[in-house]
Amino acid sequence: MRISWFFGIMTITVMLLQAVMLGAAHAQEFEAPPLVMDIPVMHEEAIAAGIDHSYTGPWEYFVGGGAAGLDCNGDRRTDLFIAGGTSPAALYVNRSQTGGELRFEQVAMDVEPRLLTGVTGAYALDIDNDGHKDLVILRVDRNLLLKGGPDCSFANGSREFSFEGGREWTTAFAATFEKGEDFPSLAFGNYVDRTAPGTPWGTCHDNALFRPIRGGNAAPAYDAPTPLSPGYCTLSMLFTDWGRTGRPDLRMTNDRQYYRGGQEQLWRIEPGSPPRPYRPSEGWRTVKIWGMGIAEADLDADGFPEYALTSMGDTKLQTLDEDAEEGRPVYRDIAFERGATAHRPYTGENTRPSTGWHAEFADFNNDGRLDLFIAKGNVEQMPEFAAFDPDNLLLGAHDGRFVEAGDLAGVALPTKGRGAVIDDFNHDGMLDLLVVNRGGRASLFRNLGGRTPDNPAPVAMGNWLQIELSQIGSNRDAVGARISVKSGNETRVRTIQVGGGHASGRLGFVHVGLGVAERAQIRVQWPDGEWSAPYRVFANQFVHIDRGAASAQYWLPE
Amino acid sequence: MQTEFRFAASIRTVTLALVLQAIGSVMAINGAFGQEADRPWEEPVLAPSQESPVPSGGLDAGRLERLVKRGETLFAARFTRSDGAGRPMATQAIIPTKRRRPPKDEFQRMAGMDANGCISCHNVPAAGGAGDFTANVFVSEGFGNAEFDSIDPQFSNERNTNHLFGAGLIELLAREMTADLQAIRSDAAAAARKQHQTITLPLETKGVSFGSITVKADGMVDLSGLDGVDTDLVVRPFSQKGVITSLRQFTINALNSHHGIQASERFGERWTGQADFDEDGMVDEAGPADISALVAWQATLQPPIIAEPESTAWREAAAAGNAHFSDIGCARCHIPTLPLNSLTFSDPGPLDAAGTLRAGENATPAAYDFSGQEWAKTLQRNEAGAILVPLFGDLKRHRISDQKHSRLGNELLAQRFVERDVFMTAELWGIGSTAPYGHRGDLTSLDEVIRAHGGDASPSARAYEQLPDDARSAIIAFLKTLVIAP
């Protein structure tokens, strides 16, 4: 029943998308830059690697389908916790050999099995500063905080953290350490309130911000949520220092499918003050999209990040308007001029609009320019939208535009992508990719190297660095830190964030492609705003930086 | 004095040889690369890269000879606009970097392009050699202040031209030393993980200590014990600072910096999105085959020798000087010989990073065995069968100046992470043929440059100063036997 009205709604959706497709007509005139850069060869090997996992379920699981990447046993390999919807979520421990084929082993979790179903997504975060990464589990029903321990042990920590978990249909999460706080603030984004009169239209749940309250013991208490009202069916959220103030605000992308009078949101998160959304009088412009995922990157290293927002039809790529006055979040869309609209399948005959979910910037070919991955997939069986809707791998071109290479790279599979984790799972310096698919097996791609116009066999690509930050006491993983990597006149910026994507996130080494630079200078702006000394490092190294250390350390994969 | 060498050549002879070589080069190039054989006067020397396959696999003597010949002609060539000479919109930087605007003058002695051919500077005492003070270069990284037109040392480091004789052996030594150091690091990591404790091992290869490496049980490396080598433990043997990994990397850097000729393997479309990065109207200016040829020619240059003077007095003085050289500690860094296990040179080599052709980016690296070179037959071996490379160096960096003796630390700019007063030990082989001396080439005599040593070398230099006149003279006599054979 729910499915039938869902499809009915989609008819309206398509009408609304006509405007989008006008943009697509323009896009036909878009002349993509030539593919002269390395095309990463992504080899799908999920089953061989030991990951046989599907995200399943009815309407509530048309959205979600995320995964968390984290090192849960201290070997610095990224392990995976993957949501399953009505199927059980599962933890896969990374057993890959350095430079070798990907290998994962599913391990049991000491968590009540029923709590591992109904999971829509997950994020990793060291909530209690004990050096073990915890898991924030998003569910249809009560959310969970799983407390991490040694050797990938997890226990239900919701009681210890006084976290009730709510009853909402949760689809988004983000975390930040607010100024002066030892523990993170947790933001949960919720979707449709299925119990409200008139559901599903105009019945979006409020979202909630859980600020830590220090109890009598060392653990924080999260028993006094602040509603973030109105909620507009949020499918992704991200704490972001959009205005270079040192204070992250909370950006949300919302699904216009269900809200009434809603829009995209940016919440002002002033420590100690109630959150409030930015208003039109402050420069915030109304944008209404079928918001599914957020990716952030400072593409031009000017300190003001850009945001990719996935949707049905075209993806937005927003940049702070150059004419915006200080402190005014005025954004304009540059997706078309940058070739990043990704509005319909780029291969096959189908010209129906795409449905985009997880988005993430990463440098898959180590050429020093960020690429944009977008997981794509029909909501379920919506005839107005592309049925074959391959994931995008938009490679960053030399002129600042993006050029599609998903089919050439090997990620254009007939799946329904949702969440994703991008990480170097086998420590060979090249980014691999997990895609969680709705109603089908997850895809796990190993990056074999680059294919060049002269050489069809994959070869070594550009130089790279992977950087791990650490600080003592609170916020050990330096969430919110900004890493600036300078080689010659090029500066590449990364920010350590927990949130965004589509119900998926990772925490661990930060990967930076360097192109032909064989050295780089790293500076870190720690979460409290303090800048580090410059660290001089050579390319193709795993670098560890302890706050205050005079020099960086290298880490050797096993 | 030079006439006393049995092999000494007069300056006039060298000059004539260079002229004949240049003429021969043009003829050889045109013949080798398909230009019309009946038009030997054609000025372009670089063939389009697609006409020249990158050499790969084992090269027999004939293929190597042809490759070396091509490299020789390129090294001696005078590059023209139609070869791609000039870089109106690119700086001298090793990372492709755009100029803000074209330079006023295409040739410019400071920021470059500053030479019409390799041989413009590398010509003392012959092609591939060092250069006089007039052939100094002004080393700037080419990022900020890339367009300087001043010799003010705040903008660049003025450097004298190094010779390249024996460079293939130097690179082979560096590769083996790197492999040793990285193997020690791996051993330390394996032991640390196995024993669950921090492990520190001495970093020593071929008798040269590079400090120590400490690895914790989780694989974290403490780099604070390193001495005289980069943190990735790659021994970079070229340039006075020891910052260049290979002849291939050096060749690509130099072609761009000095001649404005850009190697496609770094400046081409793959990495820059442009086939004509420097916007001089020429695309893919130097293909990988020509880079391979230049590498092969440099790599197979015969190493300098220890000459035996005809004069008995000189022979006796040199022998005594050799002993004094060791006695006062010079040989601790200027180590007379380092053992080399293999004479097989592969190109591309194992250590270059992206932007310099790497193994696997073409079919198979070219491999050639120096054993077939005439000069290789003169190299001595130790008891273990290793070849003794008489470089008089250690391929290690040292601090070379101090408060009292700062002449060799007279630069203002660090270079690629190497502090201003730290330099790689100069290999002394060939020093008898390559005056003037010092990094800037501003010391006219060996006595001056020895006395200029400070920092780590200060004890030896002070000991030299304390020696009697005839002992100091004997050291000079010895050093003057370290020559480049014509």
Side-chain angles (χ1 to χ4, degrees), chain A residues 36 38 76 398 455 459-463 488-489 516 518-520 536-538 541 544 553-556 558, chain B residues 143 193 216 218-221 230-232 236 243 249 270-273 353-355 358 360-361 416-417 419:
Chain A
V36 295
D38 288 3
R76 287 190 164 81
H398 304 85
N455 200 340
V459 298
M461 302 186 289
N463 300 319
N489 289 342
V516 299
E518 63 171 9
R519 299 169 182 78
R536 295 167 165 181
V537 297
F538 280 82
Q541 305 291 331
H544 177 91
Q553 293 178 294
Y554 293 159
W555 176 75
L556 297 177
E558 196 164 358
Chain B
F143 300 121
R193 283 188 162 112
K216 298 172 188 167
D218 65 353
M220 204 64 73
V221 183
D230 288 324
T231 53
D232 58 358
R236 294 180 164 84
V243 294
Q249 188 187 34
R270 181 184 179 200
W271 299 116
T272 67
R358 294 164 290 179
E361 289 184 292
R416 298 183 214 167
F417 298 176
E419 297 304 327

Side-chain angles (χ1 to χ4, degrees), chain B residues 251-265:
Chain B
T251 301
I252 294 167
N253 293 356
L255 279 174
N256 176 64
S257 176
H258 301 305
H259 315 310
I261 291 178
Q262 304 196 306
S264 57
E265 65 194 69

Side-chain angles (χ1 to χ4, degrees), chain B residues 266-290:
Chain B
R266 184 181 305 161
F267 294 86
E269 282 191 306
R270 181 184 179 200
W271 299 116
T272 67
Q274 293 179 265
D276 178 18
F277 183 77
D278 59 4
E279 301 180 35
D280 63 358
M282 301 301 295
V283 301
D284 294 333
E285 294 168 357
D290 277 335

Side-chain angles (χ1 to χ4, degrees), chain B residues 279-470:
Chain B
E279 301 180 35
D280 63 358
M282 301 301 295
V283 301
D284 294 333
E285 294 168 357
D290 277 335
I291 304 298
S292 296
L294 279 161
V295 168
W297 183 73
Q298 293 169 87
T300 54
L301 279 174
Q302 73 275 21
I305 62 169
I306 303 175
E308 189 173 354
E310 288 182 349
S311 153
T312 304
W314 191 344
R315 283 202 302 274
E316 290 173 355
N322 191 359
H324 292 310
F325 183 82
S326 293
D327 291 344
I328 63 173
C330 303
R332 279 200 290 269
C333 297
H334 296 288
I335 299 173
T337 62
L338 291 180
L340 178 67
N341 296 320
S342 171
L343 283 173
T344 300
F345 188 91
S346 60
D347 175 48
L351 299 173
D352 277 310
T356 302
L357 194 69
R358 294 164 290 179
E361 289 184 292
N362 61 337
T364 350
Y368 31 96
D369 190 347
F370 291 156
S371 305
Q373 304 291 311
E374 274 303 310
W375 51 258
K377 299 183 175 91
T378 66
L379 295 172
Q380 296 184 337
R381 292 179 181 262
N382 64 13
E383 305 79 15
I387 301 100
L388 295 174
V389 179
L391 77 167
F392 290 89
D394 59 0
L395 303 185
K396 178 181 173 182
R397 288 194 292 257
H398 301 267
R399 193 167 301 281
I400 196 60
S401 73
D402 53 38
Q403 285 282 14
K404 288 185 177 176
H405 303 89
S406 58
R407 185 70 185 268
L408 293 178
N410 54 359
E411 297 185 346
L412 296 184
L413 303 174
Q415 184 185 2
R416 298 183 214 167
F417 298 176
V418 183
E419 297 304 327
R420 45 177 290 281
D421 53 356
V422 173
F423 290 83
M424 176 163 277
T425 302
E427 295 101 39
L428 297 184
W429 60 357
I431 197 166
S433 306
T434 55
Y437 310 107
H439 309 122
R440 189 169 170 262
D442 55 1
L443 297 167
T444 61
S445 69
L446 289 166
D447 179 72
E448 283 176 82
V449 73
I450 294 169
R451 291 175 188 269
H453 282 59
D456 296 349
S458 194
S460 299
R462 305 295 79 79
Y464 171 82
E465 290 169 346
Q466 298 304 313
L467 288 174
D469 287 351
D470 58 346

